[in-house]
Amino acid sequence: MAEVSLHKLNKKFDTTHVVKDVDLKIRDKEFMVFVGPSGCGKTTTLRMIAGLEAITTGEIRIDDRVVNEVPPMDRDIAMVFQNYALYPHMSVASNLAFGLKMRKFEKAEIEKRINNAASILGIESLLQRKPRQLSGGQRQRVALGRAIVRDPKVFLFDEPLSNLDAKLRVQMRVELKKLHERLAVTSVYVTHDQVEAMTLGDRVVVMKDGVVQQVGEPLELYNTPANRFVAGFIGSPAMNFADVTLVENGGKPVAEAPGLRIGLPGELATRARAKTGRKATLGIRPEDIHIATAADAPEYCFDAAVEVVEQLGSEILLDMRAGAALMVASVEPTLRVRAHDNLKLALKPERLHLFDAETEAAI
Amino acid sequence: MAVTALSAAESKRLSPRLRKLEDERWLAMALLAPTAILLGLFIAYPFFEGVLLSLSSTRVGQPGEFVGLKNFHKIWDDSIFRTTVWNTFWYTGVTTVFKLALGLWLAILLNRHFRGKAIIRAFILLPFIIPTVLSTFAWKWMFDPTFSVINWTLFQLGLITTRINWLGDPDLAMTSIIVINIWRGVPFFAITLLAGLQTISPELHEAAAIDGARPWARFWHVTWPLLMPVTLVVVLFSVIQTFADFQLVYVMTGGGPANATHLFATYAYQLGIGTGLLSEGAAISLAMFPFLFVIVVVQLLYIRRVETR
């Protein structure tokens, strides 16, 4: 049972304000992922939870205890570092045992826990080796093992997969997910990789410039991004954006740009009507664009010239120009398209996003 | 054109010799030759001459003849030589312990972040940069029985009523030169150990802190073992230098009072150059060799063990 709550959390280094008024409640057994570009304050937030960084103002609680002044060792947390931080002069077994020895555990108990963690992670045969005799993936497992043996209230992960090669990263991602299901320990995970965030997180915190942009379940962030930044950050390939003006056309609100006119459906139309005449950003994901058919309403169709065709096997990415806007569409792999083709495309009206041009907040 | 033609002709003319260098054995020899010649000329030859000298009865202005190990027998029975051996070990042992402890302490302090870090680090090196003879003269002035600033301070503080004859008392004289050697040697330890400390990733300390290690435990279980290879090399260098120290003792006490502060080098100098007994002086210098050899071999073996573990 462990909840972590952050209340009006701030961090300043000299004059730079790196974490601004972060308010967050991480539930018991939840896997919470912090994601954002580098320098967004996610790692600093994690380090404040760990107690490695002093809090400028605000409050951190683990369960009901305020831990602002509690040293890291007394917070009952375990952390997995980006560079593993294994003690190079100790064997794997000693690395795993260190935290328990420091806490004066019985020898038999230490051994039991090491064996248990080693079998969970499949590193039984490596226990007598030194870290430098291990591969990157094996080191990562040992680093995880060092956290597991401690049986802490909270796991903290600081970009633990970023030093692994792409294939191993995917594999370890799955293992981390399984591990979390098995151990069910409250976890806070920092990454700059939105795929990791989407696949691992029960909930995801998107941060930018020290400010929380949105907190929500992965699909919530994907389907209803709170602002243009979240919309562009979550999802791959990234959402298309077009600078438009909101106008009335025959009594219906539409988004208009040079060479492009898209109708706005249902509720979006209602919300857009209040901003008629204003500039906005239209957003549509590549996977929500398809080749137009007779079934598509004309107000959701547009003409585009294909500039580049990217064959990915499972899909085709079309880099296109629609009026002044550059767009990417993800279409069926069976489609025969060539560069410089002119296509009529349609988009799913219910998947349209509008963002205020000034505040960048979703309309 | 002329130049090209000439160099082409030259390369043709040189090619048989150059071709020989394509054989790795010849190339290795050619590359090693400069070093081998320098080492031979300035180290091996003097060493060999020293050995010959120690086996002869040469004095200043008197070529002498081969006398076997007679000089070594003689110094073995020499009570001043025995004092010298003891002094050298005591001097090296005590100073090394203090230099290591103080140097490490200073290095750990300097490894923290604070304002003016770079300037302080540079200043720390001063005792090491000043020529030993000059700084030792300054110390000699401070330890002077009449003009000593140390005596003056102690007197003004009411801690002493009579002058302390720092360099006149055998024990105090030894302590004095030990203090100066530590003062001069600490910067080298501090800077080198600081460089070693900076190679230790701060993440390891953070991991240990989260693992429940308090500062002392972090030092003992993380910093100290990881610093060990650097420490051993620094200690090795320091031991060799201190064991063969000359300038400091020569300037401060000249080996006195009553030969109480002689080290191998100063006693060898006094006997060999001072009294002209060149062969005996050479014998004393050479007597340093087996001791240093054992110390260095033991340390090198230990360093290798630490580095490969």
Side-chain angles (χ1 to χ4, degrees), chain A residues 47 52 72-73 77-79 81 83 85-90 98-99 102-103 130 132 146 150, chain B residues 201 203-215 217-218 221-222 225-226 307-309:
Chain A
R47 289 171 59 84
L52 297 173
M73 69 183 86
I77 50 158
M79 184 155 166
F81 290 84
N83 300 311
L86 300 178
Y87 309 118
H89 55 297
M90 297 184 198
F98 187 71
M102 288 295 117
R103 290 181 156 78
K130 290 279 167 61
R132 70 182 141 76
R146 197 167 58 179
R150 291 262 319 282
Chain B
S201 158
E203 272 194 356
L204 290 179
H205 284 275
E206 294 177 349
I210 290 175
D211 265 343
R214 295 185 186 281
R218 291 207 286 275
H221 293 290
V222 178
L226 291 176
E307 282 183 343
T308 53
R309 83 179 168 188

Short mmCIF file of all heavy atoms in Angstrom, two decimals, chain A residues 47 52 72-73 77-79 81 83 85-90 98-99 102-103 130 132 146 150, chain B residues 201 203-215 217-218 221-222 225-226 307-309:
data_model
loop_
_atom_site.label_atom_id
_atom_site.label_comp_id
_atom_site.label_asym_id
_atom_site.label_seq_id
_atom_site.Cartn_x
_atom_site.Cartn_y
_atom_site.Cartn_z
N ARG A 47 13.72 12.68 -9.13
CA ARG A 47 14.82 12.77 -8.16
C ARG A 47 14.34 13.44 -6.86
O ARG A 47 14.90 13.16 -5.80
CB ARG A 47 16.01 13.52 -8.76
CG ARG A 47 16.73 12.69 -9.83
CD ARG A 47 17.76 13.50 -10.57
NE ARG A 47 18.78 14.03 -9.67
CZ ARG A 47 19.85 13.34 -9.28
NH1 ARG A 47 20.04 12.13 -9.72
NH2 ARG A 47 20.72 13.87 -8.45
N LEU A 52 16.91 12.70 -3.82
CA LEU A 52 18.26 13.03 -4.30
C LEU A 52 18.38 14.51 -4.64
O LEU A 52 19.47 15.02 -4.84
CB LEU A 52 18.58 12.20 -5.55
CG LEU A 52 18.63 10.69 -5.33
CD1 LEU A 52 18.78 9.96 -6.65
CD2 LEU A 52 19.76 10.32 -4.39
N PRO A 72 16.96 9.81 1.43
CA PRO A 72 16.53 8.77 0.50
C PRO A 72 16.41 7.39 1.15
O PRO A 72 15.46 6.66 0.88
CB PRO A 72 17.65 8.75 -0.55
CG PRO A 72 18.29 10.08 -0.46
CD PRO A 72 18.10 10.58 0.93
N MET A 73 17.38 7.07 2.01
CA MET A 73 17.39 5.70 2.56
C MET A 73 16.17 5.42 3.45
O MET A 73 15.81 4.28 3.62
CB MET A 73 18.68 5.49 3.35
CG MET A 73 18.76 6.29 4.62
SD MET A 73 20.34 6.03 5.44
CE MET A 73 21.36 7.24 4.62
N ILE A 77 12.11 3.48 -0.81
CA ILE A 77 11.97 3.48 -2.26
C ILE A 77 13.16 2.73 -2.84
O ILE A 77 14.15 2.53 -2.15
CB ILE A 77 12.01 4.92 -2.81
CG1 ILE A 77 13.23 5.62 -2.21
CG2 ILE A 77 10.74 5.66 -2.51
CD1 ILE A 77 13.70 6.77 -3.00
N ALA A 78 13.04 2.32 -4.08
CA ALA A 78 14.20 1.77 -4.78
C ALA A 78 14.23 2.41 -6.15
O ALA A 78 13.19 2.72 -6.71
CB ALA A 78 14.09 0.26 -4.91
N MET A 79 15.44 2.62 -6.66
CA MET A 79 15.54 3.35 -7.91
C MET A 79 16.40 2.59 -8.91
O MET A 79 17.41 2.00 -8.55
CB MET A 79 16.15 4.73 -7.64
CG MET A 79 16.21 5.63 -8.85
SD MET A 79 16.24 7.36 -8.32
CE MET A 79 16.73 8.17 -9.81
N PHE A 81 18.60 3.26 -12.22
CA PHE A 81 19.21 4.42 -12.88
C PHE A 81 19.41 4.16 -14.37
O PHE A 81 19.50 3.03 -14.81
CB PHE A 81 20.56 4.73 -12.25
CG PHE A 81 20.47 5.27 -10.86
CD1 PHE A 81 20.36 4.42 -9.77
CD2 PHE A 81 20.50 6.63 -10.63
CE1 PHE A 81 20.28 4.91 -8.49
CE2 PHE A 81 20.42 7.13 -9.35
CZ PHE A 81 20.30 6.28 -8.28
N ASN A 83 22.06 4.69 -16.16
CA ASN A 83 23.32 3.98 -16.46
C ASN A 83 23.53 2.79 -15.53
O ASN A 83 24.65 2.40 -15.25
CB ASN A 83 24.50 4.93 -16.37
CG ASN A 83 24.35 6.07 -17.35
OD1 ASN A 83 24.08 5.85 -18.52
ND2 ASN A 83 24.50 7.29 -16.88
N ALA A 85 24.14 2.13 -12.65
CA ALA A 85 24.78 2.43 -11.37
C ALA A 85 25.05 1.18 -10.56
O ALA A 85 24.81 1.14 -9.35
CB ALA A 85 23.93 3.43 -10.57
N LEU A 86 25.55 0.14 -11.20
CA LEU A 86 25.97 -1.05 -10.46
C LEU A 86 27.34 -0.77 -9.85
O LEU A 86 28.15 -0.09 -10.47
CB LEU A 86 26.04 -2.26 -11.39
CG LEU A 86 24.73 -2.63 -12.08
CD1 LEU A 86 24.94 -3.82 -13.01
CD2 LEU A 86 23.65 -2.96 -11.07
N TYR A 87 27.59 -1.33 -8.67
CA TYR A 87 28.89 -1.14 -8.04
C TYR A 87 29.90 -2.00 -8.79
O TYR A 87 29.84 -3.23 -8.73
CB TYR A 87 28.84 -1.51 -6.57
CG TYR A 87 27.69 -0.85 -5.84
CD1 TYR A 87 26.68 -1.60 -5.25
CD2 TYR A 87 27.60 0.54 -5.76
CE1 TYR A 87 25.61 -0.98 -4.61
CE2 TYR A 87 26.54 1.15 -5.12
CZ TYR A 87 25.55 0.39 -4.55
OH TYR A 87 24.50 0.99 -3.92
N PRO A 88 30.85 -1.36 -9.51
CA PRO A 88 31.70 -2.13 -10.43
C PRO A 88 32.63 -3.11 -9.73
O PRO A 88 33.06 -4.09 -10.34
CB PRO A 88 32.50 -1.05 -11.16
CG PRO A 88 32.38 0.18 -10.35
CD PRO A 88 31.13 0.07 -9.55
N HIS A 89 32.94 -2.86 -8.46
CA HIS A 89 33.91 -3.73 -7.77
C HIS A 89 33.23 -4.89 -7.05
O HIS A 89 33.89 -5.67 -6.41
CB HIS A 89 34.72 -2.90 -6.79
CG HIS A 89 33.87 -2.13 -5.81
ND1 HIS A 89 33.00 -1.14 -6.21
CD2 HIS A 89 33.72 -2.24 -4.48
CE1 HIS A 89 32.38 -0.66 -5.16
NE2 HIS A 89 32.78 -1.31 -4.10
N MET A 90 31.91 -4.96 -7.14
CA MET A 90 31.19 -6.04 -6.45
C MET A 90 30.59 -7.01 -7.46
O MET A 90 30.22 -6.62 -8.56
CB MET A 90 30.04 -5.46 -5.62
CG MET A 90 30.45 -4.53 -4.51
SD MET A 90 28.96 -4.08 -3.60
CE MET A 90 29.56 -2.61 -2.75
N PHE A 98 23.76 -5.57 -1.29
CA PHE A 98 24.26 -4.37 -0.62
C PHE A 98 23.19 -3.63 0.19
O PHE A 98 23.36 -3.33 1.36
CB PHE A 98 24.90 -3.43 -1.65
CG PHE A 98 25.59 -2.25 -1.05
CD1 PHE A 98 26.77 -2.42 -0.35
CD2 PHE A 98 25.05 -0.98 -1.16
CE1 PHE A 98 27.42 -1.34 0.22
CE2 PHE A 98 25.69 0.11 -0.59
CZ PHE A 98 26.88 -0.07 0.08
N GLY A 99 22.06 -3.37 -0.47
CA GLY A 99 21.00 -2.62 0.21
C GLY A 99 20.46 -3.35 1.44
O GLY A 99 20.07 -2.73 2.43
N MET A 102 23.16 -3.21 4.26
CA MET A 102 23.15 -1.89 4.90
C MET A 102 21.98 -1.78 5.88
O MET A 102 22.03 -1.03 6.84
CB MET A 102 23.02 -0.79 3.84
CG MET A 102 24.24 -0.57 3.00
SD MET A 102 25.63 0.03 3.96
CE MET A 102 26.78 -1.31 3.77
N ARG A 103 20.93 -2.54 5.60
CA ARG A 103 19.76 -2.49 6.48
C ARG A 103 19.77 -3.62 7.49
O ARG A 103 18.76 -3.93 8.12
CB ARG A 103 18.48 -2.54 5.63
CG ARG A 103 18.28 -1.26 4.85
CD ARG A 103 17.01 -1.28 4.02
NE ARG A 103 16.56 0.07 3.76
CZ ARG A 103 17.09 0.88 2.85
NH1 ARG A 103 18.09 0.45 2.12
NH2 ARG A 103 16.64 2.10 2.68
N LYS A 130 31.13 -10.08 -12.32
CA LYS A 130 31.27 -8.64 -12.07
C LYS A 130 30.46 -7.90 -13.15
O LYS A 130 30.33 -8.39 -14.27
CB LYS A 130 32.74 -8.23 -12.17
CG LYS A 130 33.60 -8.75 -11.04
CD LYS A 130 33.44 -7.88 -9.80
CE LYS A 130 34.02 -8.51 -8.56
NZ LYS A 130 35.44 -8.77 -8.64
N ARG A 132 31.15 -5.63 -15.20
CA ARG A 132 31.77 -5.41 -16.50
C ARG A 132 31.77 -6.67 -17.37
O ARG A 132 32.08 -6.60 -18.56
CB ARG A 132 33.18 -4.85 -16.34
CG ARG A 132 34.18 -5.82 -15.79
CD ARG A 132 35.54 -5.15 -15.61
NE ARG A 132 36.17 -5.61 -14.38
CZ ARG A 132 36.74 -6.79 -14.25
NH1 ARG A 132 36.76 -7.64 -15.25
NH2 ARG A 132 37.28 -7.15 -13.10
N ARG A 146 18.30 -5.33 -8.02
CA ARG A 146 18.70 -4.59 -6.82
C ARG A 146 17.50 -3.84 -6.24
O ARG A 146 17.40 -3.66 -5.03
CB ARG A 146 19.81 -3.61 -7.19
CG ARG A 146 20.55 -3.10 -6.00
CD ARG A 146 21.80 -2.39 -6.40
NE ARG A 146 21.54 -1.28 -7.30
CZ ARG A 146 22.49 -0.49 -7.79
NH1 ARG A 146 23.74 -0.70 -7.47
NH2 ARG A 146 22.19 0.51 -8.58
N ARG A 150 14.80 -5.33 -2.45
CA ARG A 150 14.51 -4.43 -1.33
C ARG A 150 13.03 -4.47 -0.94
O ARG A 150 12.66 -4.07 0.15
CB ARG A 150 14.89 -3.01 -1.73
CG ARG A 150 16.39 -2.78 -1.86
CD ARG A 150 16.90 -2.16 -0.60
NE ARG A 150 15.92 -1.16 -0.16
CZ ARG A 150 15.81 0.04 -0.69
NH1 ARG A 150 16.62 0.41 -1.65
NH2 ARG A 150 14.91 0.88 -0.25
N SER B 201 31.37 7.71 -10.70
CA SER B 201 30.08 8.28 -11.09
C SER B 201 29.25 8.67 -9.86
O SER B 201 29.11 7.88 -8.94
CB SER B 201 29.31 7.27 -11.94
OG SER B 201 27.94 7.55 -11.89
N GLU B 203 26.24 8.78 -9.67
CA GLU B 203 25.09 7.86 -9.58
C GLU B 203 25.34 6.74 -8.59
O GLU B 203 24.41 6.26 -7.94
CB GLU B 203 24.81 7.24 -10.96
CG GLU B 203 23.88 8.06 -11.82
CD GLU B 203 23.35 7.28 -13.02
OE1 GLU B 203 23.78 6.14 -13.24
OE2 GLU B 203 22.50 7.84 -13.73
N LEU B 204 26.61 6.30 -8.49
CA LEU B 204 26.92 5.22 -7.55
C LEU B 204 26.65 5.65 -6.12
O LEU B 204 26.14 4.88 -5.31
CB LEU B 204 28.38 4.77 -7.71
CG LEU B 204 28.71 4.04 -8.99
CD1 LEU B 204 30.18 3.69 -9.03
CD2 LEU B 204 27.87 2.78 -9.11
N HIS B 205 26.99 6.91 -5.83
CA HIS B 205 26.74 7.41 -4.48
C HIS B 205 25.24 7.53 -4.23
O HIS B 205 24.76 7.25 -3.14
CB HIS B 205 27.42 8.76 -4.28
CG HIS B 205 28.89 8.62 -4.08
ND1 HIS B 205 29.45 8.37 -2.86
CD2 HIS B 205 29.90 8.62 -4.96
CE1 HIS B 205 30.74 8.25 -2.98
NE2 HIS B 205 31.06 8.40 -4.27
N GLU B 206 24.53 7.96 -5.28
CA GLU B 206 23.08 8.09 -5.13
C GLU B 206 22.44 6.72 -4.93
O GLU B 206 21.57 6.55 -4.08
CB GLU B 206 22.50 8.79 -6.35
CG GLU B 206 22.97 10.23 -6.46
CD GLU B 206 22.48 10.94 -7.70
OE1 GLU B 206 21.93 10.28 -8.60
OE2 GLU B 206 22.63 12.16 -7.77
N ALA B 207 22.92 5.75 -5.72
CA ALA B 207 22.39 4.39 -5.58
C ALA B 207 22.66 3.88 -4.17
O ALA B 207 21.79 3.28 -3.53
CB ALA B 207 23.01 3.47 -6.62
N ALA B 208 23.88 4.14 -3.67
CA ALA B 208 24.23 3.67 -2.32
C ALA B 208 23.39 4.40 -1.27
O ALA B 208 22.96 3.79 -0.28
CB ALA B 208 25.71 3.88 -2.07
N ALA B 209 23.13 5.68 -1.51
CA ALA B 209 22.32 6.44 -0.55
C ALA B 209 20.91 5.86 -0.48
O ALA B 209 20.34 5.72 0.60
CB ALA B 209 22.27 7.90 -0.94
N ILE B 210 20.38 5.50 -1.63
CA ILE B 210 19.04 4.91 -1.65
C ILE B 210 19.08 3.51 -1.06
O ILE B 210 18.16 3.07 -0.39
CB ILE B 210 18.49 4.89 -3.10
CG1 ILE B 210 18.19 6.32 -3.55
CG2 ILE B 210 17.22 4.04 -3.20
CD1 ILE B 210 17.75 6.44 -4.98
N ASP B 211 20.21 2.82 -1.27
CA ASP B 211 20.36 1.47 -0.72
C ASP B 211 20.50 1.48 0.81
O ASP B 211 20.56 0.42 1.43
CB ASP B 211 21.59 0.79 -1.33
CG ASP B 211 21.22 -0.08 -2.52
OD1 ASP B 211 20.02 -0.39 -2.66
OD2 ASP B 211 22.12 -0.46 -3.29
N GLY B 212 20.63 2.66 1.39
CA GLY B 212 20.66 2.73 2.84
C GLY B 212 22.04 2.93 3.43
O GLY B 212 22.22 2.74 4.64
N ALA B 213 23.02 3.30 2.61
CA ALA B 213 24.37 3.51 3.14
C ALA B 213 24.51 4.94 3.63
O ALA B 213 24.25 5.88 2.89
CB ALA B 213 25.40 3.21 2.06
N ARG B 214 24.94 5.08 4.89
CA ARG B 214 25.19 6.43 5.41
C ARG B 214 26.53 6.92 4.87
O ARG B 214 27.28 6.12 4.29
CB ARG B 214 25.17 6.39 6.94
CG ARG B 214 23.80 6.03 7.42
CD ARG B 214 23.56 6.06 8.88
NE ARG B 214 22.21 5.53 9.10
CZ ARG B 214 21.10 6.24 8.92
NH1 ARG B 214 21.16 7.50 8.54
NH2 ARG B 214 19.92 5.69 9.11
N PRO B 215 26.83 8.22 5.04
CA PRO B 215 28.05 8.77 4.40
C PRO B 215 29.31 7.93 4.64
O PRO B 215 30.06 7.66 3.71
CB PRO B 215 28.17 10.15 5.03
CG PRO B 215 26.75 10.54 5.31
CD PRO B 215 26.05 9.27 5.70
N ALA B 217 29.56 4.76 5.37
CA ALA B 217 29.44 3.48 4.66
C ALA B 217 29.62 3.70 3.16
O ALA B 217 30.21 2.86 2.47
CB ALA B 217 28.09 2.85 4.94
N ARG B 218 29.14 4.82 2.66
CA ARG B 218 29.32 5.10 1.23
C ARG B 218 30.80 5.26 0.91
O ARG B 218 31.29 4.78 -0.10
CB ARG B 218 28.57 6.38 0.84
CG ARG B 218 27.07 6.24 0.89
CD ARG B 218 26.41 7.20 -0.08
NE ARG B 218 26.43 8.58 0.38
CZ ARG B 218 25.53 9.11 1.20
NH1 ARG B 218 24.54 8.37 1.65
NH2 ARG B 218 25.61 10.36 1.56
N HIS B 221 32.41 1.58 1.33
CA HIS B 221 32.01 0.52 0.41
C HIS B 221 32.04 0.93 -1.06
O HIS B 221 32.05 0.08 -1.93
CB HIS B 221 30.59 0.03 0.74
CG HIS B 221 30.50 -0.67 2.06
ND1 HIS B 221 31.05 -1.91 2.27
CD2 HIS B 221 29.95 -0.29 3.22
CE1 HIS B 221 30.84 -2.28 3.52
NE2 HIS B 221 30.17 -1.32 4.12
N VAL B 222 32.01 2.23 -1.31
CA VAL B 222 31.98 2.67 -2.71
C VAL B 222 33.25 3.47 -3.07
O VAL B 222 34.03 3.06 -3.92
CB VAL B 222 30.72 3.53 -3.00
CG1 VAL B 222 30.74 4.02 -4.44
CG2 VAL B 222 29.47 2.70 -2.75
N PRO B 225 37.07 1.55 -2.25
CA PRO B 225 37.48 0.49 -3.18
C PRO B 225 37.65 0.97 -4.61
O PRO B 225 38.55 0.49 -5.31
CB PRO B 225 36.35 -0.55 -3.09
CG PRO B 225 35.28 0.04 -2.28
CD PRO B 225 35.81 1.22 -1.55
N LEU B 226 36.85 1.93 -5.04
CA LEU B 226 36.97 2.39 -6.42
C LEU B 226 38.18 3.31 -6.60
O LEU B 226 38.70 3.48 -7.69
CB LEU B 226 35.69 3.10 -6.87
CG LEU B 226 34.49 2.17 -7.03
CD1 LEU B 226 33.24 2.96 -7.38
CD2 LEU B 226 34.76 1.11 -8.07
N GLU B 307 43.72 -4.03 -9.95
CA GLU B 307 43.20 -3.59 -11.25
C GLU B 307 42.51 -4.70 -12.03
O GLU B 307 41.65 -4.44 -12.85
CB GLU B 307 44.32 -2.96 -12.08
CG GLU B 307 44.59 -1.55 -11.61
CD GLU B 307 45.64 -0.85 -12.44
OE1 GLU B 307 46.38 -1.54 -13.15
OE2 GLU B 307 45.72 0.38 -12.34
N THR B 308 42.91 -5.93 -11.78
CA THR B 308 42.30 -7.01 -12.56
C THR B 308 41.11 -7.63 -11.85
O THR B 308 40.45 -8.49 -12.39
CB THR B 308 43.31 -8.13 -12.85
OG1 THR B 308 43.88 -8.55 -11.61
CG2 THR B 308 44.39 -7.67 -13.81
N ARG B 309 40.85 -7.20 -10.63
CA ARG B 309 39.75 -7.89 -9.93
C ARG B 309 38.40 -7.40 -10.43
O ARG B 309 38.31 -6.34 -11.03
CB ARG B 309 39.89 -7.72 -8.42
CG ARG B 309 39.33 -6.42 -7.89
CD ARG B 309 39.48 -6.34 -6.41
NE ARG B 309 39.19 -4.96 -6.04
CZ ARG B 309 39.37 -4.48 -4.84
NH1 ARG B 309 39.86 -5.22 -3.90
NH2 ARG B 309 39.08 -3.22 -4.58
#
